[in-house]
Amino acid sequence: MKLQDKKVAVIGGGPGGLTLANLLQLKGANVTVYERDGNKDVRQQGATLDLHEESGLEALRRANLMNEFKARFRPDAGRLRVLDEQAIIKMDEHELQQKNQEARPEIDRAPLRDILINALHEGTIIWDSQFVSMEKQDHGWLLHFKNGKSFYADLVVAADGANSKIRPYLTDIKPIYSGVTIVEGNIYDAEKNAPKLWDITKGGKVFALGNAQSIILSAKGEGSLSFYTGCKVSENWVKQSRIDFNNKQQVFDWFKVAFASWSVQWQELFASNDLWFMPRPQYHFPLDQTWTTLPNLTMLGDAAHRIPPYAGEGVNQAMQDAFELAENLTSDHFPDIQTAISQYEKQMQARAAVITKDTLENTEILHAEDGLDNLLAMFTERR
């Protein structure tokens, strides 16, 4: 095996990085995951994840983790309600007697992460390791972390997300603003802190569209409600708005003005003090992006091909990257690591271009003036 006697460093302990670590360990590779979180119990923000047959689920099959997944996924979490801005239901999958969830079953982020972490060898993850920089050493890299520690690796895989600090070591291609900025949030103990929205979501998901804006809700198994508000604003809106996003009241005041045409019951998003939120301008990379393959560095997931969340592809593409990269690195079909990485990157770039194009089309459709009609037409065509 080409990785024999090699130290592999995966930077980032999200689903993509953890999937890669599992698959490499199954083939006997020496792999370490460096994760900036202090420990595995840090709260996992964000919506539930729908895993797709050919990508996320295929990765779990290859990692021999489908039984664990089946024990933790939530069969009704994917049931969707589509609402208008006045919270009037326009489509309701809860009314369907039977709905096939098997193609894209839902799981909360924390249980998925736990499954992937628990399958790794003890000590694989080094917590409290926030990447700062790296420098070439021998045939690999010397990695430096904020905690003052440094480690050597023969091969580094960047799985450190949309704002990857490792990506610039591979390419200077910059992301492109999509035109939409999200305020992402989590309401804890939502049945108490946002009872109307919790009831509307009914344990599943809500897509609400109006006035070229969107609100997406996801109920999670531990009782929290995640949300994304989507608005067409300028790329520098977060800074230019002068909103202190550490101040809930300022964000609440913005929401009441920006979503003034929406029913007041949506204001439950920011009415409680038991919540977390963050602004996230949505970017993507050029469809034709390429870079020169290196023999000791590559990337996967959002670090390689960040996209808005409007196709449910982010985690799935990261997990597919992981199994394709693991397959190449442990295969006898390639003469060396650089060739294995090159083939992976070409395949990943082509696949990501198609997914990015589809996602951007969805982003535009949902945030058009007739976004609600567009969404309802999409679901009608699929039936």
Side-chain angles (χ1 to χ4, degrees):
M1 182 177 70
K2 288 178 288 298
L3 294 180
Q4 188 172 357
D5 301 323
K6 303 287 187 183
K7 292 183 178 180
V8 181
V10 177
I11 311 301
L18 294 173
T19 298
L20 177 64
N22 271 283
L23 292 169
L24 291 179
Q25 279 191 349
L26 285 174
K27 295 297 181 71
N30 178 4
V31 58
T32 301
V33 178
Y34 297 93
E35 167 55 39
R36 67 180 181 180
D37 284 350
N39 56 68
K40 69 173 185 170
D41 298 319
V42 171
R43 275 177 165 172
Q44 294 296 293
Q45 314 294 353
T48 57
L49 303 168
D50 59 312
L51 298 191
H52 303 174
E53 182 66 32
E54 72 285 357
S55 47
L57 292 177
E58 177 62 19
L60 292 178
R61 273 191 291 272
R62 295 188 183 205
N64 301 323
L65 293 173
M66 279 303 293
N67 288 338
E68 289 81 355
F69 173 78
K70 289 176 181 178
R72 303 293 294 274
F73 88 106
R74 297 172 52 223
D76 292 325
R79 289 186 180 266
L80 174 67
R81 281 178 159 175
V82 177
L83 281 66
D84 67 11
E85 63 213 75
Q86 300 308 313
I88 297 172
I89 298 172
K90 299 296 185 178
M91 190 196 81
D92 189 355
E93 290 185 342
H94 294 275
E95 294 180 349
L96 301 178
Q97 292 299 313
Q98 292 183 336
K99 181 178 184 294
N100 183 10
Q101 296 284 339
E102 296 307 311
R104 293 189 171 188
E106 300 265 348
I107 188 169
D108 291 349
R109 291 170 184 264
L112 177 61
R113 194 188 201 194
D114 288 345
I115 289 169
L116 294 167
I117 289 173
N118 293 339
L120 292 170
H121 299 165
E122 186 75 22
T124 298
I125 303 175
I126 301 182
W127 300 96
D128 188 28
S129 297
Q130 183 173 345
F131 176 85
V132 174
S133 65
M134 64 186 189
E135 60 198 56
K136 293 180 180 179
Q137 186 178 94
D138 299 329
H139 296 292
W141 299 90
L142 184 63
L143 305 161
H144 302 292
F145 297 92
K146 189 176 180 180
N147 59 17
K149 297 181 180 179
S150 299
F151 299 92
Y152 173 81
D154 297 289
L155 172 63
V156 175
V157 180
D160 54 338
N163 297 309
S164 172
K165 291 184 178 180
I166 298 179
R167 180 183 167 93
Y169 290 84
L170 270 170
T171 176
D172 59 1
I173 297 174
K174 303 299 183 185
I176 301 167
Y177 181 55
S178 70
V180 172
T181 289
I182 285 171
V183 176
E184 176 187 353
N186 239 60
I187 306 169
Y188 304 107
D189 194 5
E191 189 172 11
K192 180 184 77 174
N193 292 316
K196 293 178 182 177
L197 296 183
W198 180 256
D199 184 60
I200 285 175
T201 309
K202 203 174 180 179
K205 293 181 179 292
V206 162
F207 278 34
L209 304 176
N211 195 31
Q213 298 168 310
S214 66
I215 294 177
I216 297 175
L217 307 177
S218 295
K220 297 200 281 191
E222 29 80 327
S224 69
L225 190 65
S226 73
F227 64 85
Y228 298 133
T229 71
C231 296
K232 284 185 172 180
V233 292
S234 66
E235 181 176 4
N236 298 317
W237 171 78
V238 173
K239 182 176 181 180
Q240 293 171 346
S241 70
R242 297 186 178 181
I243 298 169
D244 179 359
F245 281 91
N246 294 311
N247 185 314
K248 190 209 77 170
Q249 191 57 52
Q250 288 190 27
V251 178
F252 197 1
D253 290 343
W254 157 77
F255 180 79
K256 285 185 282 190
V257 173
F259 286 77
S261 66
W262 290 58
S263 166
V264 294
Q265 71 185 75
W266 298 106
Q267 294 179 14
E268 280 190 339
L269 291 177
F270 298 99
S272 166
N273 289 320
D274 196 9
L275 80 161
W276 164 93
F277 51 81
M278 178 178 291
R280 296 193 188 280
Q282 296 301 298
Y283 289 88
H284 64 92
F285 289 111
L287 301 186
D288 60 351
Q289 68 166 340
T290 60
W291 53 84
T292 301
T293 297
L294 298 182
N296 51 17
L297 177 63
T298 189
M299 53 186 168
L300 59 75
D302 287 348
H305 44 69
R306 64 188 296 184
I307 52 175
Y310 299 110
E313 286 287 358
V315 69
N316 287 285
Q317 292 305 301
M319 294 175 76
Q320 185 166 351
D321 291 347
F323 74 69
E324 290 181 356
L325 177 57
E327 178 67 24
N328 283 18
L329 290 174
T330 58
S331 170
D332 294 328
H333 295 159
F334 305 101
D336 52 49
I337 291 176
Q338 186 167 6
T339 306
I341 292 175
S342 177
Q343 180 62 31
Y344 154 74
E345 289 179 343
K346 289 176 182 177
Q347 187 172 342
M348 175 262 288
Q349 289 160 359
R351 170 168 47 82
V354 174
I355 295 297
T356 300
K357 182 175 182 293
D358 290 345
T359 299
L360 294 177
E361 289 174 356
N362 282 0
T363 303
E364 181 60 33
I365 286 170
L366 295 180
H367 296 92
E369 288 295 335
D370 55 351
L372 180 61
D373 292 337
N374 292 337
L375 181 60
L376 292 173
M378 287 169 60
F379 282 113
T380 299
E381 291 172 2
R382 292 176 184 174
R383 290 177 181 174

